[in-house]
Structure formats: C-alpha cells, structure tokens
Amino acid sequence: MDIERRIIAREWRLVMARPGDILKPMWFLLVVISLIPLALSPESSLLAEIGPALIWVATLLAILLNMESLFKDDFIDGVLEQWTFWPRPFAWCLAIKLLTHWLFQIVPLILITPVVGLMLAIEVHVIVVLLVTLLVATPALTCFSGLGGALTLGATRSSVLGVLVMLPLFVPVVILAAGVITRATDGAAVGPLMALLAAFSLAAGLFIPIAIAAAIRLNIGGST
Amino acid sequence: MAWQWFHQWGSPRWFYERAERWQFWAGWIALVLLVLGTVWGLAIAPVDYQQGHSYRIIYLHVPVAFLAQALYLGMAVAAVVLLVWRMKLADIAIQALAVVGCAFCVLALVSGAIWGKPTWGTYWVWDARLTSMLILAFLYLGIIGLRSAFIDPELAGKACAILALVGAINLPIIKYSVEWWNTLHQPASLKLTERPAMPASMWVPLLLNICAYYAAAVYLLFASMRTLVLRRERRAQWVQALVRAHD
C-alpha cells in the first residue's frame, strides 16, 4: 500500500499548494447557473423543470475545464515517466491518481450543487437524487476527461480539442442520469437506472485507465 | 504462408502498386451498380402507398447510413491492427476511413433531414437513430480533429487509434442508451435475419445500391490511402522515381 499512499499524499500536497484550483470549477458552475435565470426568465416553475439538466451540463463542463491540467504538469516534470518504472502497473497508478483527483477536486464541486439547486428552485428530494447521480456518474466522467487530457498531451494545438473529442462519449452517462432525475421528479423508483449508471462508472474506472496508460506511454516513448 | 501474406501489408509500396488495380475495379463496379440500382430505384420501382415518391431517397439514405457505421467498425479494426502490429498502413487506413466515414455520416444526416420534411413534417427530430447518427458524426470529427492537432504523424496515428477503439467500445452503449431514451424512427429497412417487408421490386435495387456504395467506399478509401502513402513516403526512393517518371 506504500506506493498507493505516496500517490495520494502527493496529490493532497499538490491540492494544498494551490487551493484556488478547487474553487475555479465551483466558481464556473455558480456563474453559469446564475446566468440562466437572467437569460431565460426568473419564473421558478420553469427553472425547477429545466434546473437539473442545466446543473448536469454545467457540472460536466466544469469537470472538463481542468482536463488539460490533469496530466500535463506531471508529464512535464517527469513524474508520470517515473511511475512507469514503479513495481505496480502503470494503469493502476493512474487509476489511483484519477480516484484522488475525483475525491479532492470533483466531490467538492458536487457538494455545492444543493446550493445552486436551491437557486433554481428545484425541490429538495430531486436535489438529493441529483446529488447522488452526480456522485455515481462523475467517476466515469473523470476517467473520460483524463483520457482526453492524455490523448492531447503531445498535441500542439489542444486548448478545446480534448473537450470536443470527449463530449460525445459522455452521452450514455447524461441520458441515464437524466432518466434517473425524470423518474425522481415523477416519484417513480430510481434504483435500476442508478445501478446502470453505477455500472457504467465502474466499467469506465476499470478500462479507461488502461487506455490512458497507453496514451501517456506514446508520449513518453516518442517525443523525448 | 499465411504470415507472408500478412507481412506484405506492412509494405506501403506493395500496397500502392496493388491497390491501383483494386481501386480501378472497385470504381467500375460502383459505377455500374450505382447506375443500375439508382435508375431502377428512381424510375422503375413502384410508388410507396404511404409515402409516395418521397420514399425513393431510401436508395441514397440507407446505403450511406449503413456505410457510416460499417466504416467506423473498419476504423476500429484498423486501430487494433495499428496498436498490436504497428503496421504503418493501418494508420493510413484510419486516417482515410475517418474522412470517408465522416462524409458518409454527414450525407446520411442530410439525406435523412430532406426525407424527414415530407414524411414527418420536420427536418430534424430528437429521435434515437438520428441522435446516434449525430453522435457518430461527432466521433468521426473528433478523430479527424485529434489528428490535426499533432505535428508528429506517428504520435497522431496512435492517439487516434486509441480514441477510435474507445469510441468503438462505447458506441453500442451510446446506441442502446439513445434508443432507450427515445424511439420514433421507422425500424431498419433491411435486416439480415428477416425477409424484408417491402416487395422485391423495391428491395432489390436497394440491395444493388448498398453494394454500389460499398464499392464506392472502397474506391474512395483506396484513392485516399494511395495519396496518403505517397505523401508519407515522399522521401522514399520509389516515390521519387515515380514522380520523376511522371515529369
């Protein structure tokens, strides 16, 4: 467990070194959600109806915001290259890093959704379901955004490219999460769909790190 | 013996020379079948009792929609070949397939929109098949875009291969989730497992056109792959000799 602990401790130190990085996606989410009533209408019934979908899309984009930085710094200072020599599979190290990233950066972001939910006049029991869908689905989103970051590591013009490349792959997550929320609004059972969402997250957590490892290895072998 | 056959594909020159003939035949087969199927479909096939003449766009729409999906599958196969055997030609195939597949996908979307207006009364509805086709177009665009962001072609090729593979694994999930989300589109016109619901005078030209578009895709694919081979191998002696011979 020593190696795993070292990766987690390192991530924690990095987060603590620049706590502002955690606030940036939250800020983004707040600003985007605040613009909606201004652009649409302050009518609370309308806002409550489309609110969950808006929060979902805004959270999605907020997660994608730090896609590029996810692996870039570690790649440039050589940490990722070192991990390839560690006595653990490279993909495993990356999975730990993604999990830590999710825990330290994405979960705080999700925890402010009740606040923006109330701003959009969404009912409390729907907010709870929304929160759970986000918690269950964001591991998959983190994995995909990591893959986007890893694929564009060696790219020269990559600013929004990774986002554009990855967004279509998010479709199943968005559809399932929206299904769960619609059912919760109608008062129907959400268990089976939530299970599907969790299954997607687990499958992504299992396989995407392998693809990320392959994508990072390309850059380690080639460009140096 | 079998391995020797496989290794030939590792040589861009061998492919360039052989594919010239394949491209020639694919082009002619495509042309003949296309004329036959299209004339039959547009002029001879009976009028649909519900949709009138507007259904005839099926002879364009169904083949290109078929191919848009088949070419993505082909791209995923090429991606496996590239990542496992590091075959240069597979990289070129991915590059060519992405462009050709994207073109077919856009054509399917546009022809579907034109068909949708008289049939459904609107150019676009958020229906399952339309949406998954749109997502497919985005996936194609993603691969084309990813390649254009790299300077090093080898790195670009492998990154695209990984993306194509992840996309191909995700594609069935996308398709099923979208289908579950909304279904309005008429069911598939042709299925391999069932006899088609339309009369032979309607589906035979459709089948001809599907074959024609397959041949046309092969033609386009080989044409662009051969061009890409020349460009990648521009420093090789055989390419320079070829260029000098043309001058």
Side-chain angles (χ1 to χ4, degrees):
Chain A
M1 286 309 284
D2 188 41
I3 281 174
E4 288 77 8
R5 204 166 50 231
R6 258 201 274 174
I7 296 175
I8 296 169
R10 179 169 175 279
E11 288 295 309
W12 177 247
R13 281 199 301 278
L14 283 174
V15 170
M16 282 298 106
R18 274 184 304 175
D21 281 5
I22 301 185
L23 294 176
K24 235 185 283 168
M26 290 185 192
W27 186 8
F28 175 83
L29 186 64
L30 271 171
V31 172
V32 168
I33 295 297
S34 310
L35 284 176
I36 302 297
L38 303 175
L40 191 68
S41 103
E43 189 80 44
S44 60
S45 62
L46 188 62
L47 288 177
E49 196 180 334
I50 61 166
L54 289 173
I55 293 177
W56 241 97
V57 173
T59 311
L60 202 75
L61 295 175
I63 289 173
L64 290 173
L65 265 187
N66 50 20
M67 169 194 275
E68 252 197 298
S69 63
L70 196 53
F71 292 118
K72 196 106 198 176
D73 292 345
D74 287 350
F75 175 70
I76 288 171
D77 62 21
V79 169
L80 291 178
E81 193 164 353
Q82 280 182 21
W83 285 3
T84 60
F85 296 108
W86 279 11
R88 291 279 191 284
F90 187 36
W92 170 250
C93 296
L94 294 171
I96 298 283
K97 184 187 159 67
L98 284 173
L99 189 69
T100 333
H101 174 82
W102 177 74
L103 204 62
F104 294 158
Q105 310 242 13
I106 312 290
V107 172
L109 172 67
I110 296 170
L111 290 181
I112 67 155
T113 49
V115 179
V116 290
L118 290 174
M119 282 164 72
L120 294 181
I122 304 171
E123 282 178 59
V124 175
H125 79 276
V126 180
I127 291 181
V128 173
V129 174
L130 173 68
L131 199 68
V132 178
T133 57
L134 283 169
L135 279 175
V136 169
T138 42
L141 302 183
T142 311
C143 287
F144 279 117
S145 101
L147 181 61
L151 282 175
T152 50
L153 264 186
T156 41
R157 290 157 288 178
S158 65
S159 51
V160 286
L161 185 77
V163 179
L164 291 177
V165 165
M166 282 301 133
L167 271 177
L169 299 177
F170 289 173
V171 169
V173 181
V174 173
I175 288 176
L176 285 172
V180 171
I181 292 164
T182 314
R183 292 198 176 194
T185 320
D186 299 344
V190 296
L193 278 183
M194 199 73 102
L196 270 180
L197 203 56
F200 191 85
S201 253
L202 285 175
L206 208 58
F207 295 112
I208 299 290
I210 299 171
I212 297 177
I216 292 176
R217 269 182 205 278
L218 293 182
N219 293 285
I220 290 173
S223 59
T224 46
Chain B
M1 183 64 197
W3 279 105
Q4 198 180 7
W5 177 85
F6 189 69
H7 281 306
Q8 288 175 329
W9 289 89
S11 153
R13 181 183 184 176
W14 178 85
F15 172 80
Y16 180 83
E17 285 164 357
R18 283 306 164 85
E20 190 173 8
R21 204 175 336 135
W22 299 336
Q23 186 191 338
F24 174 81
W25 284 113
W28 276 108
I29 291 169
L31 194 67
V32 170
L33 288 179
L34 202 61
V35 169
L36 212 64
T38 306
V39 169
W40 189 346
L42 294 189
I44 302 167
V47 179
D48 188 75
Y49 76 101
Q50 253 181 338
Q51 301 187 7
H53 282 293
S54 73
Y55 92 95
R56 292 186 195 277
I57 201 169
I58 204 176
Y59 297 109
L60 169 72
H61 178 69
V62 171
V64 292
F66 253 44
L67 270 160
Q69 298 173 55
L71 292 176
Y72 198 90
L73 193 68
M75 199 161 67
V77 172
V80 172
V81 172
L82 177 67
L83 291 174
V84 175
W85 290 288
R86 299 170 187 226
M87 197 177 268
K88 250 191 223 169
L89 204 59
D91 181 17
I92 289 167
I94 295 173
Q95 194 175 357
L97 277 164
V99 177
V100 175
C102 190
F104 276 111
C105 202
V106 170
L107 208 56
L109 283 169
V110 171
S111 64
I114 294 170
W115 192 9
K117 187 66 182 167
T119 319
W120 297 333
T122 169
Y123 287 112
W124 182 262
V125 282
W126 287 99
D127 149 71
R129 290 231 242 152
L130 275 76
T131 311
S132 48
M133 214 58 187
L134 184 66
I135 305 292
L136 186 66
F138 289 155
L139 288 174
Y140 273 126
L141 284 175
I143 286 171
I144 296 172
L146 187 63
R147 183 178 298 272
S148 70
F150 287 88
I151 292 175
D152 178 5
E154 202 174 322
L155 198 59
K158 284 181 181 161
C160 286
I162 292 173
L163 180 63
L165 216 53
V166 172
I169 294 167
N170 209 2
L171 206 57
I173 305 174
I174 293 177
K175 239 179 128 71
Y176 279 107
S177 64
V178 168
E179 220 154 88
W180 171 81
W181 166 69
N182 198 347
T183 304
L184 189 116
H185 197 286
Q186 66 191 56
S189 306
L190 278 187
K191 282 183 195 154
L192 289 178
T193 47
E194 291 169 28
R195 285 190 67 80
M198 32 181 174
S201 52
M202 274 187 186
W203 65 256
V204 170
L206 181 56
L207 203 62
L208 283 178
N209 257 14
I210 289 173
C211 297
Y213 279 88
Y214 261 95
V218 170
Y219 173 81
L220 289 172
L221 190 65
F222 281 163
S224 65
M225 277 175 75
R226 291 179 68 229
T227 315
L228 289 170
V229 165
L230 285 187
R231 199 191 277 173
R232 290 271 178 100
E233 304 288 310
R234 61 185 176 276
R235 294 208 177 77
Q237 279 198 337
W238 67 271
V239 176
Q240 293 186 344
L242 209 67
V243 173
R244 270 197 298 277
H246 269 279
D247 276 344

